[in-house]
Amino acid sequence: MLIQLTIENFMSFRDEVTFSMVGVSSDRQHADRLIEDAAGKGRSVVPIAAIYGANAAGKSNLIEALSFAKELILEGTRSNRSIPVATFKLGDYSKKPSKFEFIFTHQDARYSYGFKLNKEQILEEWLHAIPPGKRKEVMYFERITSLDKKTTVDYGLPLTGRSLKRKQFLEFIAEGTRPNQLFLTEGIDRNVESLFPVANWFREILTIIMADSIFASLESTILSDISFTDFLSKFLKLAGTGIDKVGGGTVELDFDRHLPGMPQVDRDKLLQKFSGAHANSILMIEDNFGKQYLLLKGEDSLIKMIQLVTQHRHENGNLVDFAVNEESEGTQRLINLIPALFVLQEEEKVIFIDELDRRLHPLLSRLFVKTAIDCRGKNNQLIFTTHDTNLLDLDLLRRDEIWFVEKDRQGSSNLYSLTEFKTRPDLKIEKGYLNGRFGAIPFFGNPESLGWHSQNRDTAMETNEH
C-alpha cells in the first residue's frame, strides 16, 4: 500500500509537496474503512483518495510524476542519453535537482525509496526498510554520484548479509552503474534478489490509468476469465447502459480497416505465421500504443479478429450484438475503467486514475467510487483526480480522503488535504468548495473586460438603425 509520495521540482511542482494516505485517527467517520497499523507505529492508512483542482492546477502532473518515476525505475535509461525529467519552467530550475520519494508497504515490509536527479545524472538514491516482523528501520543502500560523475554506494546488511563475496558483487554492480542510471534498476538487471520486492511493487502493484488509457488486454481477459466477464456484464447492466451482456465475437480481418498503421512487411510476416497454423489457432499482437489484438485462424482458413461484443435486448426479447465503437463514448470509457474495479478485489493493488469522471455522468462516477469502496480487497487503494463535486460528500468520503491541488501566483502547484481545514461534521463540503472555501477552484476575470458585451450592443444598434 502507498503511505506517502513526495515530489519536488517536477513540472508544475516547484517546491517539495507530499501526498499522504495516512489517516487521521481522531476522525471516526467511516472508521471501519481504515487499514490499521499499515503505516507503522499504530498509524492507519486510507484506501481511497480524491484529488480536486482547477484546470491546469497540476492534478494530471501528479499522475505524470508517478508515470515518469515508474518508467525510470523499470525501464532505465540509455547510455549517453539525458534523463527526460521535466523541471519547473517558470524560473531557473533546470539545473536544480528534482526529487521523488515513495513510502509503501509490500509483503509485510515497509519501504522508503527515493532519488534526486537532474537531466545529466542521479545525484542521490536511497532505500530503507522495516523488514517483516521488525520495528527498526534498516538501510538497504545509499548512493551518491558526485558532480564529476563518480558513484559511491553504501550497503546495509539486508543486501550484503555477512558475505564478503556478496559485497564484492554489489561493488561490481555499483562500478558498472552509469551516472544516469538508478542503482535499483541496475541491481534488478543484475539479479539482486533482495531488491525484487521493491521492483515488483512498481511493476505489479502500482497501476496508472491515464485519462485516455484503454485496457489493452480486454478481449483476451474476456476469453480467459469468466469471472471478469460476469463482473463486467453485471456492472454495465447496473450502470444503466442498456447492455445486457458482453462477450467475444469474430470478424474477418481487414488490415486497412482494423490495423491501418501496420507496415506491409509486418502484414506479410503475420500471414506467413498463420499459413502453417492449425485451425482455431489464436495469436496475440500489439501495436505501438500497447493495444493488444487477438487473431484467430478459422475453420475456413480465414484470419479473424476477436472483438468485444456488447449485447442489448431487442423489443422481441432476443439479444442483439453491438460492436464497442457503436456504444457511446461514456460507455466505452466505463468499459475501460471497470477492469480497475475488478482487480481491486485482489490481494494488493494501488491504482491511480486521472480524470475519473471524464465522459461519465456524476451519478455514474459516484457509483464507481462506492463500488470501489465496497468491493476492494484488504490492501488495495484507489486514488483519482476529478472535477466531480458530487463526490465531495462526507457520507461517501472521509476528510483525509479528500485532497486539493492549487497553483500560486508564480505558477507553482501546492498540494493539501481537507484535514488542514476546521470543518463541522454536518458541513456541505461540495458547497464550501464551490464557494472557494478550500481554494483549488478557477477564479475568472470580468467577462465585460473582453469587450464582447459592448461590441454586441453596438452591433445591435447598427442593425436597428438600418
Side-chain angles (χ1 to χ4, degrees), residues 2 17 27 60 67 70 97 122 128 201 211 276 280-281 288 312 322 324 341 358 410 438 443 453 455:
L2 178 67
V17 297
D27 188 349
S60 294
S67 182
K70 179 175 179 175
I122 309 297
H128 302 107
W201 188 84
N280 296 320
S281 296
N288 294 331
H312 295 250
F322 282 72
V324 173
L341 284 180
R358 188 178 190 183
Q410 289 74 44
F438 312 117
F443 290 96
H453 289 74
Q455 183 179 3

Side-chain angles (χ1 to χ4, degrees), residues 41-112:
K41 297 182 180 180
R43 296 190 301 166
S44 303
V45 170
V46 294
I48 195 166
I51 304 172
Y52 285 84
N55 290 99
K59 300 185 304 298
S60 294
N61 290 347
L62 182 68
I63 308 297
E64 289 287 350
L66 284 163
S67 182
F68 166 79
K70 179 175 179 175
E71 184 172 356
L72 186 66
I73 291 165
L74 298 179
E75 303 299 329
T77 58
R78 293 186 179 184
S79 180
N80 300 321
R81 295 286 183 90
S82 61
I83 303 171
V85 58
T87 56
F88 184 73
K89 295 180 71 172
L90 301 180
D92 188 19
Y93 290 85
S94 61
K95 298 297 183 181
K96 295 183 179 180
S98 300
K99 176 184 177 182
F100 300 82
E101 184 177 41
F102 298 82
I103 301 176
F104 58 92
T105 61
H106 183 48
Q107 297 178 353
D108 297 323
R110 180 175 179 268
Y111 295 95
S112 175

